[in-house]
């Protein structure tokens, strides 16, 4: 593995190797000294052209737990607002000493493009509506911790599938690990052509709930790119939001997930978010150990 | 390439581990504060064996832990796709007497990494080192407290330790 | 006779059919077909095709305003290398070609460079902003015969109707870049399985078809000669074929890249595969290839759209639309469609010259006509890697192509040759 750009670059064995490694790093994070000297002297650059404090902090925490140094690059704090290009930015960071790049960008394929420009490994921290592979890995780890394995799990992914990189990478990761995925969304929020996706589709959350092991709620944005995609957030919440009443419709041991940050009261009501069946905080914790595993794999094998 | 020469038989290994167990018991009056920590991977079954031998002598179980030093190595970049073993500590290490157990003592770099790893896990009262084979050629100021067998080797020779739990047999071989 | 140039051993598209015969050029004109004469320069065609120089109905030369991408000199050099003797430049320069003196500037610059004939299309609306008609009469007087706001559709049906009525009187062609802005908004590629997989916003074929359907109704109303630029979908082709069957004077063009590639090629997200209209599904590509072969599509036009490296060294979504094509067009068309000699010259020279009303272009070889010629070997293979264009955004870089331009002759002068002696 030279880069981590898309879940499609990984086979089942490689995903499982990363999850096993991530579980090992989870135990490192539980120690009194949650830090190992593995990557002392190495520098990781986080290049976030699209604001995301949560994901950036998670990567930086992972890097620091491995004793790597971190260079953080984000618009607003840098010359990118003055029109510096992505290419110039990463070449400058590499010349400054970056060994690995975490790239988030609103454009599909941005991380892959960077991988063609720099010598070091690149982790895709999210590229447009395309891929967010570390999110998929941390979600798979969370499910593996809860259920032991993903084989045979029925996962419903709810929301704006069409514009979601989380959906695209999670569909690929979950199905590779043996789960069955159902997409639950109104048709304008589904990709136009689903022929390349190994999924079933449902237009009704309530119809799907009784046969799901996992309800995975995507974050909803009322506007993206060029104009509104939803009539209103309130209407969306009524049809596709997860509330106490709908939680009762799930099988007893089913769980609820969300990649965060949550629009409370839209995708998920506050009491559901805080319910023991919500794995939202496990997801956040596993984010750090999963990213440690990915960074370790990419920089450990140079 | 010539066949490697078998230097220690299964019986030799068993006797060496029993002797180490006796020495550990002699050195420590009582084993209740003792923890044996095997270094992944072959140090772990060796530590188990020593623990059993101590139990035969002292009629008391000694805690056994496992330590993977993959995250503490100084040669990470030169090794393709490193694998990590489990690190499991059965008890809090603070104030304990720790005996690190490994199969072969060579340059000392593994032990250096193990000491670093250990210090991140807690603050033992004392740390000692037990090895099945000491083959010399130290590159760091490190020595073993308990040695099963001193084996003078040349630096380019290969010393192979096989243990029952992993390799299906016990023994030590030297090849060139 | 002492000729300036002899083209020997060619398979020649003459006014009387295809013949293996030698040609002789004197004073810029075809002086003799057959016979044997002395010549100053000789081109050995060695069995390759010899026919009228290629004519591109659709290219972007970027002058004035964006000369870092291309200018009339570099664009003319690229055209000569690609076998072209005439180009119709699109009017989306900065400023747009919306008045007579700007059109004169383009053709005059072309004459100064002297590597091929440079004609220009004129904008339909002032500054191509879709609000008010440009100086249509002035442009006509300056020699403009094709009118388009290429780069965008004329969205306002009332305004387009008005333009069509004026231009129908003149006998000019209204050409449309068919793109419904609402349906294509934010779109990056063909809307389909690949765009869904990549998470790129799609541009449905309907964005093109809707505009063509409306325009055909307006063309019926006004009687104008209507030309659809760079068609990309089977549906558009069907609309055009139906209209032609009803006798409407409708023509269309297809680009080499739409004949060669489908949306699968976008998977790698190389900006050299980003253009409007986007590369569509395999079934669309097959329909276009068939349509070009059977004549449902009249013309191959390059839509040569240079962008400098610094503009394309960005992500796919950020990259500008358009790719270069002049130097690879003939080869790409042969590779994708394997046209026979008559069809090849019909689509790449004769029909575009007729639509653009270029009287000295696209003529079968005959004694006395201006010597605008290309020597094209339909079998020779090559792989484009360097370009005379100022830009290098080619989807054909590294593609093995069949068919190669060996020489180009413009008004009797050799403007490009691999085989001169
Ligand atoms: Zn156009």
């Amino acid at each position: 593995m030279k880069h981590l750009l898309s879940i499609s670059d990984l086979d089942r064995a490689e995903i499982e190797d990363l999850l096993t490694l991530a579980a090992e790093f989870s135990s490192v994070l539980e120690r009194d000294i949650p830090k190992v000297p593995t990557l002392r002297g190495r520098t990781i650059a986080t290049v976030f052209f699209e604001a995301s404090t949560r994901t950036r902090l998670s990567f930086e925490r992972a890097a620091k737990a491995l004793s790597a140094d971190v260079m953080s690059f984000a618009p607003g704090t840098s010359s990118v607002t003055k029109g510096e290009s992505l290419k110039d930015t990463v070449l400058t960071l590499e010349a400054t000493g970056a060994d690995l790049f975490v790239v988030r960008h609103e454009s599909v394929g941005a991380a892959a493009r960077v991988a063609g420009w720099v010598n070091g490994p690149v982790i895709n921290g999210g590229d447009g509506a395309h891929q967010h592979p570390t999110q998929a890995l941390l979600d798979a780890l969370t499910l593996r911790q809860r259920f032991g394995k993903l084989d045979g799990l029925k996962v419903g992914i709810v929301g704006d599938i069409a514009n979601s990189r989380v959906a695209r990478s999670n569909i690929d990761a979950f199905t590779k690990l043996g789960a069955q995925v159902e997409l639950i969304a109104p048709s304008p929020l589904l990709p136009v052509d689903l022929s390349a996706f190994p999924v079933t589709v449902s237009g009704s959350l309530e119809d799907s709930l009784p046969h799901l092991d996992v309800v995975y709620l995507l974050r909803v944005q009322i506007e993206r790119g060029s104009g509104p995609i939803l009539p209103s957030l309130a209407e969306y919440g009524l049809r596709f939001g997860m509330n106490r009443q709908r939680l009762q419709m799930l099988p007893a041991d089913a769980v609820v997930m969300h990649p965060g940050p949550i629009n409370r009261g839209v995708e998920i009501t506050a009491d559901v978010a805080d319910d023991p069946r919500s794995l939202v905080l496990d997801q956040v914790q596993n984010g750090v150990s999963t990213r440690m595993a990915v960074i370790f794999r990419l920089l450990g094998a140079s | 390439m010539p066949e490697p020469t078998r230097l220690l038989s299964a019986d030799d290994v068993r006797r060496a581990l029993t002797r180490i167990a006796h020495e550990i018991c002699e050195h420590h009056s009582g084993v209740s504060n003792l923890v044996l920590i095997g270094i992944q991977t072959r140090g772990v079954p060796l530590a188990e064996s020593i623990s059993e031998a101590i139990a035969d002598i002292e009629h008391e179980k000694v805690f056994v832990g496992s330590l993977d030093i993959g995250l503490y190595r100084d040669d990470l970049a030169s090794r393709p796709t490193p694998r990590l073993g489990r690190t499991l500590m059965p008890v809090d290490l603070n104030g304990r007497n720790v005996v690190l157990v490994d199969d072969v003592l060579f340059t000392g770099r593994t032990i250096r990494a193990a000491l670093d790893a250990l210090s991140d896990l807690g603050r033992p009262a004392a740390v000692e080192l037990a090895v099945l084979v000491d083959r010399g050629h130290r590159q760091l100021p490190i020595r073993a407290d308990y040695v099963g067998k001193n084996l003078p080797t040349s630096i380019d020779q290969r010393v192979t330790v096989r243990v029952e739990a992993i390799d299906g047999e016990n023994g030590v071989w030297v090849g060139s | 006779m002492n000729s300036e140039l002899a083209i020997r051993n060619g398979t020649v598209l003459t006014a009387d059919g295809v013949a293996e015969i030698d040609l002789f050029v004197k004073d810029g004109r075809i002086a003799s077909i057959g016979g044997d004469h002395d010549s100053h320069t000789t081109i050995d065609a060695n069995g390759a095709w010899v026919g009228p120089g290629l004519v591109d109905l659709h290219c972007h030369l970027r002058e004035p305003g964006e000369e870092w991408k291309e200018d009339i000199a570099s664009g003319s050099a690229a055209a000569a290398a690609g076998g072209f003797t005439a180009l119709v430049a699109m009017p989306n320069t900065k400023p747009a070609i919306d008045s007579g003196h700007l059109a004169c500037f383009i053709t005059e610059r072309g004459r100064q460079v002297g590597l091929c004939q440079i004609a220009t299309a004129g904008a339909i609306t002032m500054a191509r902003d879709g609000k008010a008609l440009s100086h249509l009469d002035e442009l006509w007087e300056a020699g403009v015969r094709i009118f388009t706001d290429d780069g965008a559709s004329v969205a306002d049906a009332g305004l387009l109707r008005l333009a069509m009525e004026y231009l129908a009187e003149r006998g000019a062609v209204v050409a449309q870049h068919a793109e419904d802005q609402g349906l294509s908004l934010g779109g990056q590629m063909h809307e389909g399985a690949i765009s869904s997989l990549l998470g790129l916003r799609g541009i449905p074929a309907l964005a093109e078809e809707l505009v063509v359907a409306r325009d055909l109704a307006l063309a019926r109303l006004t009687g104008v000669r209507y030309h659809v630029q760079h068609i990309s979908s089977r549906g558009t082709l069907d609309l055009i074929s139906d209209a032609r069957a009803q006798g409407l004077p409708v023509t269309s063009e297809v680009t080499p890249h739409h004949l060669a590639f489908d949306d699968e090629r976008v998977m790698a997200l190389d900006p050299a595969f980003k253009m409007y209209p986007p590369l569509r599904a395999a079934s669309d590509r097959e329909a276009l290839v068939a349509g070009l072969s059977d004549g449902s599509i009249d013309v191959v036009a390059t839509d040569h759209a240079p962008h400098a490296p610094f503009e394309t060294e960005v992500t796919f979504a950020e990259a500008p639309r358009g790719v270069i094509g002049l130097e690879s067009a003939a080869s790409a068309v042969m590779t994708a469609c394997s046209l026979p000699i008559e069809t090849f010259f019909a689509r790449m020279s004769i029909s575009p010259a007729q639509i653009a009303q270029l009287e000295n272009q696209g003529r079968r070889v005959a004694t006395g006509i201006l010597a605008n010629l290309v020597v094209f070997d339909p079998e020779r293979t090559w792989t484009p890697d360097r370009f005379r264009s100022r830009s290098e955004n080619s989807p054909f870089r590294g593609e093995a192509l069949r068919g190669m331009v060996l020489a180009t002759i413009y008004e009797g002068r050799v403007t490009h040759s691999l085989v001169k002696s």
Side-chain angles (χ1 to χ4, degrees):
Chain A
M1 191 166 83
K2 165 84 171 110
H3 306 285
L4 179 62
L5 302 175
S6 166
I7 294 293
S8 65
D9 302 336
L10 303 175
D11 60 23
R12 179 172 181 150
E14 288 169 310
I15 294 173
E16 287 185 332
D17 166 69
L18 286 170
L19 299 187
T20 304
L21 198 54
E24 203 56 42
F25 283 115
S26 293
S27 68
V28 169
L29 291 172
E30 284 161 13
R31 295 180 192 168
D32 291 341
I33 303 172
K35 182 167 178 152
V36 288
T38 316
L39 297 181
R40 229 166 24 189
R42 304 294 200 97
T43 301
I44 288 162
T46 56
V47 188
F48 276 53
F49 275 74
E50 190 183 71
S52 167
T53 310
R54 295 164 65 102
T55 306
R56 186 170 54 77
L57 287 179
S58 180
F59 270 108
E60 293 180 5
R61 174 82 182 80
K64 286 170 182 167
L66 290 165
S67 298
D69 294 320
V70 172
M71 287 199 274
S72 185
F73 182 92
T77 61
S78 65
S79 60
V80 68
T81 42
K82 293 171 227 144
E84 183 168 321
S85 76
L86 178 60
K87 184 177 185 182
D88 287 341
T89 300
V90 295
L91 291 183
T92 302
L93 286 168
E94 184 156 67
T96 314
D99 296 302
L100 178 147
F101 300 82
V102 180
V103 178
R104 167 166 296 197
H105 198 286
E106 63 185 3
S107 287
V108 170
R113 204 91 171 101
V114 170
W117 291 327
V118 298
N119 295 312
V122 175
I123 298 172
N124 184 358
D127 62 329
H130 181 218
Q131 281 279 316
H132 191 359
T134 58
Q135 178 74 44
L137 292 171
L138 76 88
D139 287 334
L141 178 63
T142 306
L143 286 175
R144 202 170 82 162
Q145 281 169 350
R146 172 59 70 113
F147 294 99
K149 58 186 166 65
L150 276 72
D151 293 280
L153 283 186
K154 294 190 176 61
V155 183
I157 301 181
V158 187
D160 184 4
I161 318 285
N163 294 300
S164 173
R165 53 185 165 226
V166 174
R168 280 185 182 76
S169 30
N170 283 24
I171 290 167
D172 200 4
F174 291 174
T175 54
K176 272 179 175 157
L177 293 171
Q180 295 164 29
V181 174
E182 179 150 283
L183 305 182
I184 304 163
S187 63
L189 301 190
L190 285 169
V192 173
D193 186 331
L194 283 166
S195 57
F197 295 89
V199 296
T200 54
V201 174
S202 160
S204 161
L205 178 60
E206 296 194 351
D207 287 353
S208 295
L209 286 175
H211 64 260
L212 294 178
D213 300 303
V214 182
V215 187
Y216 195 107
L217 301 145
L218 298 171
R219 182 174 164 79
V220 167
Q221 281 161 298
I222 192 158
E223 291 200 13
R224 186 182 277 265
S226 44
I229 53 169
L230 284 177
S232 82
L233 275 181
E235 267 179 68
Y236 176 85
L238 284 177
R239 263 184 85 186
F240 295 99
M242 200 65 195
N243 52 31
R244 172 66 44 195
Q245 184 196 350
R246 286 181 177 147
L247 195 64
Q248 309 306 331
M249 299 169 75
L250 280 170
D253 53 356
V255 297
V256 178
M257 298 174 78
H258 189 292
I262 296 172
N263 296 307
R264 286 191 180 223
V266 181
E267 302 108 22
I268 203 166
T269 53
D271 54 345
V272 173
D274 301 331
D275 190 274
R277 292 206 265 166
S278 156
L279 299 185
V280 170
L281 289 178
D282 304 67
Q283 290 173 273
V284 175
Q285 279 173 5
N286 286 331
V288 178
S289 51
T290 300
R291 286 162 181 136
M292 286 174 80
V294 172
I295 292 169
F296 177 74
R297 266 288 166 269
L298 292 174
L299 278 184
S302 50
Chain B
M1 205 157 81
E3 280 285 293
T5 318
R6 184 170 188 149
L7 290 183
L8 295 185
S9 68
D11 271 352
D12 295 336
V13 170
R14 187 179 44 77
R15 274 193 293 273
L17 294 176
T18 307
R19 200 179 62 251
I20 289 174
H22 276 285
E23 288 173 14
I24 291 174
C25 293
E26 280 164 26
H27 194 254
H28 299 268
S29 41
V31 294
S32 54
N33 200 37
L34 204 59
V35 186
L36 301 179
I37 295 179
I39 297 175
Q40 291 277 21
T41 42
R42 286 179 180 73
V44 179
L46 292 176
E48 298 279 4
S49 298
I50 295 171
S51 166
E52 281 161 25
I54 291 174
D56 287 345
I57 302 161
E58 296 278 330
H59 308 291
E60 193 178 341
K61 282 291 276 180
V62 178
F63 289 112
V64 175
S66 66
L67 183 66
D68 188 278
I69 54 109
L71 299 172
Y72 293 82
R73 297 186 69 106
D74 56 10
D75 59 350
L76 194 64
S78 60
R79 297 185 313 146
T81 330
R83 298 280 142 192
L84 280 196
R86 309 287 330 254
T87 291
L88 284 174
M89 290 303 132
V91 285
D92 190 344
L93 295 183
N94 290 321
R96 294 274 179 172
N97 290 318
V98 168
V99 180
L100 283 173
V101 181
D102 205 1
D103 51 356
V104 180
L105 178 57
F106 184 27
T107 62
R109 289 180 189 273
T110 302
I111 306 304
R112 194 279 307 155
L115 290 169
D116 285 352
L118 213 51
S119 69
D120 280 355
L121 293 168
R123 191 178 181 284
V127 182
E128 295 174 314
L129 174 61
V131 297
L132 180 58
V133 172
D134 182 347
R135 59 169 296 192
H137 305 290
R138 217 75 76 239
Q139 295 169 356
L140 292 171
I142 281 169
R143 60 159 186 81
D145 300 276
Y146 313 102
V147 179
K149 176 86 176 166
N150 281 296
L151 278 183
T153 56
S154 66
I155 194 152
D156 47 6
Q157 273 179 318
R158 242 185 109 77
V159 174
T160 308
V161 172
R162 294 166 72 82
V163 295
E164 180 89 41
I166 296 168
D167 312 297
E169 58 176 334
N170 285 323
V172 177
W173 286 258
V174 172
S176 48
Chain C
M1 180 186 76
N2 238 335
S3 71
E4 290 141 15
L5 173 67
I7 302 170
R8 297 183 189 272
N9 308 318
T11 302
V12 186
L13 185 77
T14 74
D16 306 318
V18 177
E20 288 174 15
I21 201 162
D22 297 344
L23 299 181
F24 299 90
V25 175
K26 192 172 167 64
D27 299 328
R29 293 183 181 271
I30 305 287
S32 171
I33 301 177
D36 198 7
H37 306 279
D38 290 338
S39 63
H40 181 261
T41 305
T42 298
I43 286 171
D44 183 0
N46 195 22
W49 296 349
V50 180
L54 308 183
V55 176
D56 189 11
L57 215 45
H58 190 142
C59 66
H60 299 271
L61 299 180
R62 307 299 190 205
E63 184 177 349
E66 293 175 307
E67 288 85 351
W68 65 88
K69 298 173 194 260
E70 195 81 283
D71 61 18
I72 288 169
S74 63
S76 295
F84 290 90
T85 54
L87 305 179
V88 179
M90 288 300 107
N92 63 334
T93 47
K94 293 177 179 168
I97 310 302
D98 56 12
S99 53
H101 71 280
L102 286 163
C104 291
F105 165 78
I106 303 292
T107 48
E108 181 51 31
R109 277 291 294 138
R111 254 192 295 277
Q112 286 166 8
V113 172
L115 290 171
C116 57
Q117 181 178 356
I118 305 290
T120 186
I124 293 173
T125 66
M126 287 305 290
R128 295 174 51 255
D129 68 0
K131 297 205 178 80
L133 290 184
S134 67
H135 300 292
L136 298 177
D137 277 346
E138 220 181 274
L139 286 162
W140 172 269
E141 294 301 332
V144 171
R145 295 295 175 264
I146 296 177
F147 291 79
T148 173
D149 272 2
D150 183 50
S153 280
V154 179
D156 182 331
L159 196 62
L160 184 61
R161 175 191 174 178
L162 206 57
M164 283 180 166
E165 284 170 344
Y166 279 118
L167 293 168
E169 274 179 13
R170 294 291 201 176
V173 171
V174 167
Q176 183 75 291
H177 162 116
E179 174 178 7
D180 181 273
Q181 306 279 347
L183 284 171
S184 75
L185 187 68
Q188 298 285 343
M189 66 174 295
H190 174 58
E191 179 180 286
I194 309 281
S195 69
S196 297
L197 206 55
L198 287 171
L200 278 175
R201 187 170 291 238
I203 303 170
L206 195 59
E208 176 176 287
E209 293 156 5
L210 212 55
V211 172
V212 171
R214 178 202 70 173
D215 287 2
L216 287 169
L218 290 171
R220 196 185 312 272
L221 181 73
T222 59
V224 77
R225 291 171 60 188
Y226 176 64
H227 177 78
V228 190
Q229 297 179 292
H230 43 54
I231 72 170
S232 67
S233 86
R234 177 189 289 274
T236 303
L237 184 53
D238 288 345
L239 286 168
I240 292 167
S241 297
D242 287 351
R244 283 156 73 115
Q246 293 165 29
L248 284 188
V250 178
T251 54
S252 68
E253 68 189 33
V254 62
T255 73
H257 42 273
H258 287 98
L259 295 168
F261 303 119
D262 58 42
D263 64 344
E264 283 267 350
R265 290 299 289 257
V266 180
M267 277 299 281
L269 294 168
D270 178 349
F273 292 87
K274 178 173 176 176
M275 71 287 292
Y276 186 90
L279 298 174
R280 297 216 180 268
S283 58
D284 291 306
R285 190 189 73 83
E286 285 157 19
L288 296 174
V289 169
L292 187 74
S293 297
D294 69 21
S296 316
I297 301 171
D298 306 85
V299 166
V300 173
T302 66
D303 196 6
H304 178 82
H307 296 293
F310 78 87
E311 295 169 300
T312 55
E313 282 179 338
V314 294
T315 65
F316 189 86
E318 294 167 316
R321 311 195 298 188
V323 299
I324 62 168
L326 283 170
E327 292 164 77
S328 52
S331 311
V333 168
M334 277 310 286
T335 307
C337 308
S338 289
L339 301 178
I341 182 170
E342 292 269 2
T343 316
F344 176 83
F345 284 106
R347 307 288 181 270
M348 298 208 62
S349 176
I350 298 169
S351 294
Q354 282 166 357
I355 292 168
Q357 302 179 38
L358 302 173
E359 58 189 76
N360 289 317
Q361 301 284 345
R363 298 182 62 176
R364 287 165 165 265
V365 178
T367 313
I369 67 163
L370 269 178
N372 292 321
L373 300 168
V374 65
V375 182
F376 179 71
D377 183 337
E379 299 298 335
R380 195 155 151 191
T381 57
W382 66 297
T383 303
D385 63 341
R386 289 192 307 184
F387 301 92
R388 305 209 180 177
S389 166
R390 191 158 286 163
S391 294
E392 302 189 338
N393 52 321
S394 167
F396 293 101
R397 176 197 295 276
E399 293 287 312
L401 298 181
R402 187 166 64 82
M404 192 174 191
V405 174
L406 300 183
T408 312
I409 295 100
Y410 174 58
E411 295 185 349
R413 284 176 293 113
V414 179
T415 52
H416 167 73
S417 177
L418 303 175
V419 288
K420 190 163 68 172
S421 62

